[in-house]
Amino acid sequence: QLRGFGDTGERTLFDGIPVGLYQTSPVGQIMAANLAAVQILGYPSREALLAVNAVDLYANPEDRARWRSLMEQEGVVHDFKVQFRRYYGQIIWINNSARAVKDDQSQVLRYEGRLEDITEQKQAEEELRRHRDHLEEMVEARTAELMVAVEQLEQEITERRRAEEVMRQAKEAAEESATAAEAANRAKSV
C-alpha cells in the first residue's frame, strides 16, 4: 500500500506524474511504484515490479550498497546515476534521487524516491566522448605531421642559408680574384 497517499485523487496524482516514483523498505522490498516507474523498468505490471526486491534492479550490486551507505549518512541522495536491469535484462541508466523517511527514534521506515531514465543522455555523452577522443587523435596526428613539416622546413632553411653563405663566399672570392687579376694586368701594362 502506498504510504502517505490515501484517497483515489492522491493515487491518480501519484500515477500521473511522468517520472518514476517509488517507496521501498530499508531491505529493498518495493512497497509502492507509480506507472512511470513500471514503464521505465519495463515491467508488465505494477504487481510484477512490487514482487521484485530493489536490490535486484541494480546491474551492479555494489551500487546498491553505495546508495544505501550515502542514504544512511545523509538521509537523502540526489542525482545518483546508476545502471539498472529492466524486466527483460536490458541495462539502462537511471538517475535516482531519494530520501529516508524516519520514525520518532530516527529509524528508517522507508525510502521514497524518483527515477528518471537517462539512458539516451548517457549514450549521447558517450558518443560525444568518442567523437572528442577521435578529434583529439586527429589533432595529435595532424600536429605530428605539422611538426615533421616544420622540421623539414627548418632543415631546408638551414641548408639554403648554408648554400647562400657558400655562394656569398664564392662570389667574394671571385670578386677578390677578379680585382687581383685586374691589378695584376694593370701592373703588367705599366
Side-chain angles (χ1 to χ4, degrees), residues 127-138:
E127 185 69 18
L128 283 173
R129 186 196 60 74
R130 279 196 304 272
H131 283 297
R132 184 190 68 236
D133 290 350
H134 178 67
L135 286 173
E136 287 177 4
E137 288 171 4
M138 289 173 54

Side-chain angles (χ1 to χ4, degrees), residues 4-16:
F5 290 89
D7 67 23
T8 306
E10 290 172 336
R11 174 57 99 179
T12 302
L13 173 66
F14 182 70
D15 278 336

Side-chain angles (χ1 to χ4, degrees), residues 117-133:
D117 183 349
I118 59 168
T119 304
E120 287 181 9
Q121 175 188 341
K122 283 292 201 175
Q123 289 170 341
E125 288 171 0
E126 177 62 21
E127 185 69 18
L128 283 173
R129 186 196 60 74
R130 279 196 304 272
H131 283 297
R132 184 190 68 236
D133 290 350

Side-chain angles (χ1 to χ4, degrees), residues 18 20 34-45 49 86 92 117:
N34 72 351
L35 294 177
V38 173
Q39 179 190 20
I40 288 168
L41 297 172
Y43 278 76
S45 67
L49 179 57
R86 296 184 85 208
I92 60 172
D117 183 349

Side-chain angles (χ1 to χ4, degrees), residues 95-161:
N95 185 1
N96 185 2
S97 294
R99 70 182 184 111
V101 177
K102 298 181 180 184
D103 64 15
D104 295 338
Q105 286 79 41
S106 296
Q107 295 298 310
V108 174
L109 298 173
R110 65 184 175 276
Y111 300 120
E112 296 179 339
R114 71 160 173 82
L115 304 174
E116 285 182 89
D117 183 349
I118 59 168
T119 304
E120 287 181 9
Q121 175 188 341
K122 283 292 201 175
Q123 289 170 341
E125 288 171 0
E126 177 62 21
E127 185 69 18
L128 283 173
R129 186 196 60 74
R130 279 196 304 272
H131 283 297
R132 184 190 68 236
D133 290 350
H134 178 67
L135 286 173
E136 287 177 4
E137 288 171 4
M138 289 173 54
V139 166
E140 287 176 12
R142 186 66 181 140
T143 300
E145 290 172 7
L146 290 172
M147 292 302 291
V148 168
V150 166
E151 287 177 21
Q152 289 174 344
L153 286 173
E154 288 174 347
Q155 186 176 4
E156 285 179 26
I157 289 169
T158 301
E159 289 172 6
R160 283 186 181 171
R161 285 185 179 150

